[in-house]
Amino acid sequence: MRIKLLFVFLSISSICKAQYSFSGYTNPEEWDRAVYLSIVEDYRKMSGVYSEQIIAKTTADSSGFFEFKGNMLDTENRIYRIHVDKCSDIQQGVNHFNGHCSDSEALLFIAKNTDTLKLPFSFGNQVFCRVESNNPKANAFVKIDSLKNDMRFAYGEFRSEANRKLNNKKWFKTLQYFGKALDEPLAELYIYTYLSDRSSDLHSYYVEDLKQNQYYDNLKARLETTYPNAPYTKQYTNELEADRYMLAASNGETASNWNVILYSFLGLSIILNLFLLYHFWKRNQSKIDDLKAKLSKQEQVVLEHLLMDKTNKDIAESLFLSVSTVKTHTNNIYKKLNVQSRNDAKSLFTK
């Protein structure tokens, strides 16, 4: 009986202490020391740098070493990104518009709350090229990117229309088969996003493939089985239904004057709603900017951590400050914003 109780105690203890650790190196001679960790819940935003996805920020030491650790991540696999960039904090909103930052390096990977991930330097001190992890799915995106590089080389060998068409057909299937062989639906979504991109030359092949290939329904089933509660599954299901509906409409199966009127009305409604949302966002953003302008640069940084519900100790460790200094900054923030607590401060920025 005692042995069983001890086993249960140890099991519970290990679960409570389970935490992730993502570490690596940047080149301090090339990059700023700030390193960011993001969670990607919209697979259409896997490429780029989006400030709304950032969940943690740390500072690399003089050797370039950095580490993210804690126990706040999902217990199931999710898509994460670590990135560095040279976009200034002041102009970040402009530089990161639509995910664009012209001077950045990023790595996508798959992980969960109990994973250890290391990103050592690659050849020539290149960053974010190698992944070492206890999660065998972690480097799936790196493998796919490597295959896509082979594809680009094949396209560039002969720059002719005939060569491009032959490669389109070949690589569409090659990428699709490769994703399925990885036995990880999130990796397949990475490839699906690329193949179904409307701006890609491969999109026409996707449209034709969608008409006859059961692969897409099988991928949906794999997502629903492995990730029933993940946002990716619902997003994929909605996109698949929308694309098939558009295919049916283009074939005349649902075409009618009423549909034209309905779509026009919906389109106008969407445009109007987007305009109203943008107007509201602009006004709210202006209010937020005015509030932040009352704070010093250091107080603004502390505020960002407060809004992430970090403790004073966590903030002190992240910013390399003493706890008393963090408390002083926090009190100054309360006074300048005319609030009494963290919840009051959060209410000013979450309306």
Side-chain angles (χ1 to χ4, degrees), residues 165-177:
K165 288 182 178 179
L166 286 173
N167 274 299
N168 281 346
K169 186 175 182 180
K170 167 191 172 183
W171 284 101
F172 183 90
K173 287 299 180 184
T174 299
L175 285 166
Q176 199 175 74
Y177 291 152

Side-chain angles (χ1 to χ4, degrees), residues 102-121:
S102 59
D103 204 353
S104 65
E105 286 289 340
L107 174 79
L108 283 171
F109 59 94
I110 296 171
K112 54 183 180 294
N113 195 53
T114 55
D115 287 353
T116 298
L117 184 90
K118 294 182 180 180
L119 308 175
F121 280 135

Side-chain angles (χ1 to χ4, degrees), residues 133-146:
S133 176
N134 62 333
N135 187 337
K137 309 293 186 181
N139 65 349
F141 296 139
V142 174
K143 293 179 179 178
I144 294 170
D145 286 338
S146 178

Side-chain angles (χ1 to χ4, degrees), residues 28-54:
E29 297 178 357
E30 182 178 0
W31 298 101
D32 297 332
R33 290 191 177 183
V35 187
Y36 303 88
L37 173 64
S38 300
I39 182 170
V40 182
E41 296 184 309
D42 179 350
Y43 58 72
R44 291 291 174 185
K45 291 185 176 181
M46 282 195 271
S47 298
V49 174
Y50 298 88
S51 57
E52 72 271 15
Q53 296 177 341
I54 296 174

Side-chain angles (χ1 to χ4, degrees), residues 76-125:
E76 293 183 342
N77 281 336
R78 292 291 185 267
I79 302 171
Y80 296 96
R81 178 196 299 109
I82 287 178
H83 85 269
V84 291
D85 66 49
K86 296 180 183 177
C87 296
S88 67
D89 291 337
I90 296 175
Q91 296 179 335
Q92 190 178 61
V94 176
N95 290 331
H96 289 178
F97 178 71
N98 280 342
H100 175 71
C101 180
S102 59
D103 204 353
S104 65
E105 286 289 340
L107 174 79
L108 283 171
F109 59 94
I110 296 171
K112 54 183 180 294
N113 195 53
T114 55
D115 287 353
T116 298
L117 184 90
K118 294 182 180 180
L119 308 175
F121 280 135
S122 294
F123 179 76
N125 278 354

